[in-house]
Amino acid sequence: MTLNTGLRSISNSDDKRSYSLFSIFGRSNCSYADKYMVEAVVRRDGSSRFGKEKYGILPAFSVGWRITEEAFMASTKHWLNELKDPYRMGCSRKRPYG
């Protein structure tokens, strides 16, 4: 097995089987007023072990609120450095092993 930058397909094999796996992803994030954060990730996975559907697109999203930057939290600055409230959602695809 060889690890590299992920810019080409990698084949893993043993004396019985040969499999391939390819993944690529993109990520974008945005922040407003250093309080509200949004992030989106899209990953495309391909595997010789997925069956008929060799490729899948797997999105993920997250939003966050930095509560310590709000005016009503000003009195906590001396003992509370940072408090975030994140929410995340994403998809995954099971790869059969063995």
Side-chain angles (χ1 to χ4, degrees):
M1 175 169 47
T2 303
L3 298 177
N4 65 14
T5 61
L7 297 177
R8 62 183 173 86
S9 289
I10 297 174
S11 291
N12 299 319
S13 63
D14 59 19
D15 57 344
K16 295 181 182 179
R17 299 181 184 102
S18 179
Y19 305 110
S20 62
L21 174 66
F22 178 78
S23 294
I24 189 168
F25 73 93
R27 182 176 81 170
S28 177
N29 52 27
C30 179
S31 175
Y32 176 73
D34 206 29
K35 294 180 194 179
Y36 312 105
M37 298 143 295
V38 176
E39 181 176 82
V41 177
V42 177
R43 192 176 86 214
R44 181 167 166 84
D45 279 353
S47 174
S48 61
R49 302 185 83 183
F50 279 161
K52 279 178 97 171
E53 300 274 335
K54 297 288 184 200
Y55 289 91
I57 296 175
L58 308 165
F61 304 95
S62 67
V63 295
W65 175 32
R66 188 171 283 133
I67 301 168
T68 48
E69 296 301 316
E70 296 292 346
F72 64 85
M73 294 292 287
S75 64
T76 65
K77 291 281 186 187
H78 67 283
W79 61 271
L80 184 61
N81 293 343
E82 186 166 316
L83 178 62
K84 287 183 188 176
D85 192 13
Y87 296 93
R88 296 179 179 99
M89 182 180 75
C91 297
S92 65
R93 186 167 182 175
K94 182 179 179 185
R95 292 186 192 120
Y97 293 102

